[in-house]
Amino acid sequence: MNFDPRYSGRNFTSVGTRPIRPDGVDKVTGRARYGADFNMAGQLVGRVLRSPHAHATIRKIDTSKAEKLNGVKAVITAADLPDLTDGDAAMYDILDNCMARKKALYDGHAVAAVAAVDARTARQALKLIEVDYEVLPHVTDVDEAMKHTAPLLNDAIFTEGLEEKPVRPSNVTKRTQFGHGDVHEGFGQADYVVERSFKTEQTHQGYIEPHACVASVSADGTADLWVCTQGHFVYRQHCAQLLGMEASKLRVTSSEIGGGFGGKTHVWAEPVALALSRKAGRPVKLVMTRDEVFRASGPTSATSIDVRIGARKDGTITAAEATLRYSCGPYAGMWAEIGAMTAFACYRLENVRTVGYEVLVSRPKTAAYRAPSAPMAAFAVESAVDELAKEIGMDPVEFRIKNAAQEGTRSSYGPVYGPIGIGPTLEAAKNHPHMKAPLGKNQGRGMACGFWFNFGGQTCTDLNIGMDGSVSLAVGTVDVGGSRASLSLVAAEELGIAYEQVKAVVADTSSLGYNDMTDGSRGTFSSSMATISAARNAIKILRERAAQMWDIPLDDVVWEKGHAIAKGEKYGNLAALSLREIAAASGKTGGPIAGHSELVADGAGVSFATHVCDIEVDPETGATRVLRYTVVQDAGKAVHPTYVEGQYQGGAAQGIGWALNEEYIYGKDGRLQNPGFLDYRIPVCSDLPMIDTQILEIPNPNHPYGVRGVGETSIVPPLAAIANAVSNAAGVRMTHIPMSPPRILAAIEAERGG
């Protein structure tokens, strides 16, 4: 059945309501099973030996003593994970990150692993493994790593994207550039120019559940993997390729996920667990400690960004440019490229240029964190925008409204926008009571805009109707933010039945066709599209069965409000048949009734938000207090408004922590100094105000309900909004994230001349 994904305005019955979440009771009572909650008969305990050095050649690994220890069933090194990547550089980096080969590239890099009968024996075995290292010079700062005098971390890396092919290796893996117009000419037209440099430190996603899995490889080559992940189909593909398995022989089941935010889109320990199980011949459970999560799984990039923006006296921006340097860890990435694409995406610009540099450092492999790369770029750009508005003498909201992108605007990264929500979010923020509330002494208000692309991708969904009229919806996108409830609402909407009749489950990789990773805010967007398609396919079958039961032509049967209706006066004696009635008779009319859909969800629809924040700064200590916070964001269509509000609030809360407290601190030895929540401080309830939200709905023309992704945009503006508020409260421009009390106090004292 052909599926038309275009938006068609309609009135909703289920979509837009706020039913209780289906997973809530299990989660609050402890019945929900997360990554570490699964066990298999005869399972072993896996543990990983990690490098204590930031950069070192591995001369030799002697595992003989560990192998002889009673209770140890397997010991592996890189030799047990041979290179089967066939020249695929990205897959080789994943392999090398899972188990160091020639060199340990950061503090915490895995160098060996054991499987033993219990945790005590496994820990003892790790102590018996002898590793001979040659310690090499390291570099952990992104600016230092770009210098010609910096230690070279990978002599096989030659910078891509340069006009001339480089002849020497470099820590810069790639240069990218975006933009249009003539920036030089645009700055010549400007009456005011603001130019400033910014830095952001590396942060962790802050998920509470550590990485965990149970792997079981059978003698016949089949295998099972239970894992906390944002994309079990992608994990299957990667693990199978790295271990030389057929993907069809590896079944991956996703557990409940205790937070991911992009940090669980990469394999870290899973190939190691599978290799241990294969060697031991028994299931292996591997759970990272919190220390390991911080030292050895992916944080964000640290960044260094230069911004220059010019405008006329009337407030029209004439030119904008930015140079963005993003750390990638020890492997090539595309983080600066994304930052360069998003930096000026909120604005209508005639002359714009962004240049991004991907930089290797002696830190863990960088991973996504909720709209990866965009918050740092927005921090720099929106800070400069605020400063420029002040120079001109314009209200910062009015300045942004004047220059905001519109439908038909050519974006700074290339595409032309369709219907978008940046203008409406700014107008809503301007008219919000928050903007009119009075401020006290040492208090400041800041605002900022944010953008995210949103993604779609490959998606597959099954919808099965039971003989009792219940509906089972099997999806392949992991529920990271309430999608099971949202997708149940969508199925109920299409079928015309009650939400309570639908139960959504996340199917394993052997039960459903391939689904892409749940990232890029694609979960509800793509799976709701597939659910609509599957439901409409099921409705066609329901109509066929009703036509058969009535013995009338199919074209004379329509589906309305959960019932098959025979249209026309000649069928006035035929009572409508409910879904339940048709399902109950299915055994006599052709068997089970189901709808299936597989599609590539295109046209995700870009997303914009505007945030407003009030901060109080103690000028004597540099301490801050967040007084009030408001999020205005375009959702396209809020399928489950409570979940949407939760996404807005969650992004703001994480942004508050990122802006004010959170950072990786490395010592001179290149080792992480704060690998735990005691010293890496994320916000707790007492640190946060009540976060107000306002949902706008500018329909996405490429989705039947107008849905846009909402999960990531909300983390883009907070760094800038808070920086602008702190700068206004303290009377000095803050350019370094996080704005911890010592940094704020130092900036105040420097401004005073002290």
Side-chain angles (χ1 to χ4, degrees), residues 464-511:
N464 293 278
I465 300 175
M467 294 185 70
D468 60 353
S470 63
V471 174
S472 176
L473 182 67
V475 301
T477 45
V478 176
D479 185 353
V480 297
S483 61
R484 279 171 294 189
S486 297
L487 298 175
S488 295
L489 284 170
V490 169
E493 186 72 48
E494 280 295 315
L495 295 171
I497 59 177
Y499 165 82
E500 291 75 17
Q501 287 179 246
V502 184
K503 181 177 177 59
V505 297
V506 180
D508 65 56
T509 58
S510 295
S511 304

Side-chain angles (χ1 to χ4, degrees), residues 459-580:
T459 312
C460 183
T461 297
D462 274 338
L463 186 150
N464 293 278
I465 300 175
M467 294 185 70
D468 60 353
S470 63
V471 174
S472 176
L473 182 67
V475 301
T477 45
V478 176
D479 185 353
V480 297
S483 61
R484 279 171 294 189
S486 297
L487 298 175
S488 295
L489 284 170
V490 169
E493 186 72 48
E494 280 295 315
L495 295 171
I497 59 177
Y499 165 82
E500 291 75 17
Q501 287 179 246
V502 184
K503 181 177 177 59
V505 297
V506 180
D508 65 56
T509 58
S510 295
S511 304
L512 198 63
Y514 181 83
N515 282 258
D516 280 330
M517 183 71 66
T518 305
D519 60 5
S521 298
R522 69 172 294 271
T524 296
F525 167 77
S526 61
S527 278
S528 66
M529 190 179 289
T531 297
I532 293 168
S533 174
R536 291 178 182 177
N537 289 336
I539 287 171
K540 182 176 184 296
I541 297 172
L542 288 164
R543 289 175 52 235
E544 290 172 349
R545 300 297 177 86
Q548 182 181 341
M549 292 167 71
W550 283 326
D551 194 22
I552 65 174
L554 173 61
D555 290 344
D556 289 346
V557 180
V558 296
W559 190 262
E560 293 179 3
K561 298 180 179 180
H563 292 76
I565 298 173
K567 62 180 183 180
E569 294 182 2
K570 59 183 176 180
Y571 301 125
N573 62 328
L574 295 177
L577 289 171
S578 68
L579 179 146
R580 188 187 300 271

Side-chain angles (χ1 to χ4, degrees), residues 324-398:
L324 308 97
R325 298 166 289 273
Y326 281 56
S327 66
C328 302
Y331 304 104
M334 57 179 294
W335 310 109
E337 182 175 358
I338 299 173
M341 294 173 74
T342 62
F344 293 107
C346 292
Y347 298 105
R348 184 180 67 255
L349 303 171
E350 295 296 325
N351 306 291
V352 58
R353 179 176 62 204
T354 57
V355 178
Y357 293 96
E358 318 289 348
V359 186
L360 301 184
V361 293
S362 307
R363 297 189 181 208
K365 175 182 170 69
T366 297
Y369 181 9
R370 209 168 182 167
S373 304
M376 305 82 126
F379 160 60
V381 168
E382 290 293 301
S383 295
V385 165
D386 232 50
E387 196 169 359
L388 184 56
K390 187 175 182 179
E391 288 282 326
I392 296 170
M394 283 187 71
D395 176 83
V397 181
E398 295 292 353

Side-chain angles (χ1 to χ4, degrees), residues 50 53-54 97 105-110 139-140 153 202-205 266 268 288 291-302 327-332 335 359-367 664 666 670-672 675:
R50 301 188 180 278
H53 305 293
N97 188 53
L105 297 172
Y106 55 90
D107 167 39
H109 199 169
V139 58
T140 58
L153 301 185
Q202 194 163 50
T203 52
H204 190 266
Q205 297 86 351
H266 302 250
W268 309 103
M288 278 189 175
D291 178 277
E292 289 179 300
V293 169
F294 273 93
R295 292 172 59 217
S297 67
T300 64
S301 297
S327 66
C328 302
Y331 304 104
W335 310 109
V359 186
L360 301 184
V361 293
S362 307
R363 297 189 181 208
K365 175 182 170 69
T366 297
Y664 275 37
Y666 279 86
R671 301 199 68 185
L672 183 61

Side-chain angles (χ1 to χ4, degrees), residues 589-607:
T589 60
I593 300 173
H596 181 78
S597 175
E598 61 283 315
L599 50 78
V600 177
D602 292 324
V606 296
S607 175

